[in-house]
Amino acid sequence: MSKLSLEHTLQGHKGRIWGVSWHPKGNAFASCGEDKTIRVWSLSGNTWTTKTILSDGHKRTIREISWSPCGQYLTSASFDGTTAIWSKTSGEFECIATLEGHENEVKSVSWSHSGNLLATCSRDKSVWIWELAGEDEFDCAAVLNSHTQDVKRVVWHPKKDILASASYDNTIKMYAENAADNDWYSTATLESHNSTVWSIDFDADGERLVSCSDDKTLKIWRAYQPGNEEGIYTPDNETVWKCVCTVSGEHSRAIYDVSWCKKTGLIATACGDDAIRIFKEDANSQKNEPTFSMITSEDKAHLQDVNAVKWNPSQEGQLISCSDDGTIKLWKFIE
Amino acid sequence: MPTEIENINPNVYGKRKEREVTANEEDEDVPDPFDTREIFDLIRNINDPEHPLTLEELHVVQEDLINVNDGKNEVNIKFTPTIPHCSMATLIGLSIRVKLLRSLPPRFKVNVEITPGTHASENAVNKQLADKERVAAALENKHLAEVINQCIASKV
């Protein structure tokens, strides 16, 4: 029997903790929450401790933080309508830019694989793409208004400049830049969930996406390029994303986050029923009709809703979670 | 507060008698899980946003539309807007949520929904009330928090 073994329980934030994010090297992480602060944690000896508290960047809840691929920048999305960019180039973290433009709460922020593009999304239903225009300078490259409701999450493709967004309108959308006129546009709408899509994550090579929803299901989507051997119709010569697997009956409340491990292929979920669950693709799973099974369920992982789960990008099997109960937990997955 | 009152002549109902305290309830050694009456007592005196009446007096909340499972940490409330187009429905639901959020131990999962078939935008209101992120953002809005606090503040 595989299981999650609890390695550390950390406290520091006051109140609900909304997000955690691993530094790309996997030896540090950041956390954020309703106390309007960001904490940067690192390991010294066998204990994780807060190395820095960033407390003067936002006037309201910080919903999500995200590291740049180079690990020098940290970004924070806040209910105050702004996104802050923190730089560590001088040794200490300092806020080098504040991105403004959204009409209300910013829900998510994500860096592209190259580190040249940044995406944000908001309750104002829009997705913004920002271009790194020089040191400490960000230009707005696109304002995308395809969603009809609150946009909950933006995540970049691991290898290409393709962006995915998840929304309260129950859909996921994909965006790419038109090579002819450099305009960003929505290339696909992924419809299948019956309620809010809270989170999404790509697999290691970006050919598949996992999504989780208020409808208590997980869905796996696969990309079919024009001219695919399966003969899936691709109108307008665009990549089509098809829902190839739905995992239902395993979660008893809304699923707030999902993380697809780039190293092991394991999927972890954060649920409103206080549990963390781990899913694995079955050995005899088919490419176009894959099957996933729950291999571990840590039923009382936290005392309240689990808000986020993230696999360590460099240390195999290490998982971090945070909760409404004000704690951060580090877990080791044991096969 | 609304400038125009939507439902001018709402039906007004009587109030329930106080709960009778039993010997078991006074005995500290007997486990005393939350029951529907206890939850009802927490929300019955919430004020209606547009009338000087409580949610109990307007039959917006009723004890038999409350479901409690103390062991499973679940509280489910159904509330009935006074009219099917009541624009106050979200605010009333939010007040019930906030009152229970503040009164109950944090282990409880509180679901607040409109009684099926009693409101034109039932699904949209239910979805909004169930979205904890939007509820959190709403409560950071000073004006809205004030209005909710006025609804919750009990006069009795």
Side-chain angles (χ1 to χ4, degrees):
Chain A
M1 268 307 274
S2 57
K3 64 165 188 162
L4 279 178
S5 144
L6 179 64
E7 291 186 313
H8 301 277
T9 301
L10 309 173
Q11 278 171 309
H13 286 285
K14 286 189 185 74
R16 168 185 283 161
I17 304 175
W18 277 113
V20 280
S21 174
W22 283 106
H23 185 276
K25 287 205 179 100
N27 57 0
F29 67 86
S31 59
C32 65
E34 70 175 349
D35 68 2
K36 309 175 186 73
T37 69
I38 301 164
R39 283 175 174 257
V40 181
W41 306 74
S42 67
L43 192 62
S44 45
N46 189 35
T47 48
W48 286 91
T49 49
T50 300
K51 285 285 143 56
T52 311
I53 300 175
L54 307 172
S55 57
D56 50 359
H58 292 289
K59 295 184 186 72
R60 290 181 59 187
T61 284
I62 303 174
R63 177 64 179 91
E64 198 185 36
I65 62 264
S66 163
W67 294 90
S68 62
C70 65
Q72 287 296 325
Y73 300 97
L74 183 63
T75 44
S76 50
S78 168
F79 283 1
D80 70 11
T82 70
T83 307
I85 322 273
W86 308 80
S87 164
K88 216 191 143 186
T89 40
S90 68
E92 292 288 303
F93 279 97
E94 51 179 337
C95 182
I96 55 159
T98 304
L99 308 181
E100 292 174 4
H102 281 296
E103 282 169 32
N104 41 42
E105 296 99 85
V106 184
K107 298 290 179 75
S108 179
V109 56
S110 173
W111 291 84
S112 69
H113 68 108
S114 63
N116 291 328
L117 297 166
L118 198 64
T120 57
C121 65
S122 161
R123 192 164 72 90
D124 69 10
K125 306 171 189 176
S126 69
V127 171
W128 290 46
I129 293 174
W130 308 80
E131 219 162 352
L132 197 63
E135 211 168 307
D136 308 355
E137 255 190 58
F138 294 83
D139 287 344
C140 175
V143 176
L144 301 156
N145 290 304
S146 313
H147 282 295
T148 58
Q149 291 287 344
D150 187 0
V151 190
K152 298 296 195 184
R153 188 61 59 93
V154 277
V155 175
W156 286 95
H157 189 284
K159 292 176 175 170
K160 300 177 191 166
D161 285 344
I162 291 172
L163 180 70
S165 65
S167 166
Y168 188 89
D169 70 11
N170 307 355
T171 71
I172 299 157
K173 287 184 185 277
M174 296 284 173
Y175 312 87
E177 197 175 11
N178 186 331
D181 58 11
N182 293 93
D183 271 349
W184 286 85
Y185 68 109
S186 169
T187 62
T189 300
L190 287 60
E191 286 174 277
S192 185
H193 280 296
N194 294 322
S195 190
T196 302
V197 187
W198 279 104
S199 183
I200 42 182
D201 200 10
F202 286 96
D203 71 352
D205 58 12
E207 289 304 305
R208 294 190 292 180
L209 182 86
V210 62
S211 58
C212 66
S213 163
D214 184 59
D215 71 11
K216 304 169 191 166
T217 70
L218 270 186
K219 287 182 187 283
I220 311 286
W221 308 77
R222 171 171 277 284
Y224 292 93
Q225 316 293 344
N228 63 84
E229 59 184 32
E230 288 82 3
I232 304 283
Y233 177 52
T234 53
D236 308 322
N237 239 14
E238 297 288 359
T239 302
V240 163
W241 291 79
K242 284 223 167 283
C243 177
V244 289
C245 171
T246 299
V247 179
S248 51
E250 304 285 17
H251 299 84
S252 64
R253 299 183 71 86
I255 314 169
Y256 291 116
D257 197 18
V258 62
S259 178
W260 200 333
C261 183
K262 308 292 182 276
K263 294 182 105 54
T264 62
L266 294 171
I267 292 172
T269 60
C271 188
D273 63 9
D274 309 347
I276 296 172
R277 296 177 176 85
I278 309 291
F279 295 83
K280 188 182 181 181
E281 187 165 6
D282 297 340
N284 59 354
S285 176
Q286 305 289 310
K287 183 187 171 199
N288 298 305
E289 288 176 70
T291 51
F292 285 77
S293 300
M294 186 173 76
I295 52 167
T296 300
S297 171
E298 188 69 25
D299 288 341
K300 294 201 163 51
H302 284 274
L303 295 172
Q304 294 179 51
D305 294 7
V306 188
N307 290 324
V309 278
K310 296 280 180 285
W311 290 105
N312 187 318
S314 75
Q315 204 164 318
E316 217 168 271
Q318 191 175 39
L319 186 73
I320 190 169
S321 63
C322 65
S323 162
D324 279 355
D325 71 9
T327 66
I328 296 164
K329 291 186 176 183
L330 285 113
W331 309 83
K332 180 85 196 159
F333 175 76
I334 299 163
E335 184 89 59
Chain B
M1 292 296 277
T3 46
E4 266 180 71
I5 289 179
E6 288 182 353
N7 187 0
I8 297 165
N9 288 314
N11 293 327
V12 179
Y13 302 84
K15 288 188 180 193
R16 298 202 47 166
K17 290 204 181 84
E18 292 304 308
R19 180 193 186 114
E20 281 179 40
V21 181
T22 63
N24 261 355
E25 283 166 346
E26 285 187 331
D27 185 345
E28 293 292 327
D29 296 327
V30 176
D32 187 10
F34 283 91
D35 58 22
T36 54
R37 179 60 204 247
E38 208 164 351
I39 303 297
F40 181 64
D41 282 347
L42 288 170
I43 60 174
R44 61 193 280 218
N45 288 318
I46 295 174
N47 302 301
D48 182 80
E50 54 181 23
H51 292 287
L53 294 164
T54 66
L55 297 189
E56 177 188 21
E57 287 169 308
L58 293 169
H59 268 201
V60 173
V61 296
Q62 290 173 273
E63 190 186 341
D64 50 9
L65 293 177
I66 296 172
N67 214 311
V68 185
N69 188 329
D70 189 284
K72 281 189 165 173
N73 300 329
E74 275 181 8
V75 174
N76 299 304
I77 313 276
K78 297 238 188 303
F79 71 102
T80 315
T82 52
I83 46 170
H85 289 278
C86 179
S87 63
M88 299 287 144
T90 312
L91 180 59
I92 292 171
L94 211 48
S95 302
I96 296 171
R97 238 195 117 138
V98 172
K99 173 74 191 187
L100 293 175
L101 215 63
R102 291 181 186 162
S103 316
L104 294 175
R107 66 183 165 95
F108 275 102
K109 312 280 183 192
V110 178
N111 300 313
V112 177
E113 291 183 342
I114 289 177
T115 311
T118 64
H119 195 272
S121 323
E122 181 183 324
N123 292 338
V125 174
N126 286 347
K127 190 171 185 180
Q128 208 165 339
L129 288 173
D131 185 323
K132 68 169 185 174
E133 187 188 68
R134 286 169 71 135
V135 170
L139 295 181
E140 284 186 8
N141 176 329
K142 266 198 187 120
H143 172 70
L144 189 59
E146 254 172 51
V147 175
I148 290 170
N149 282 337
Q150 278 169 13
C151 290
I152 291 176
S154 177
K155 290 185 197 110
V156 282

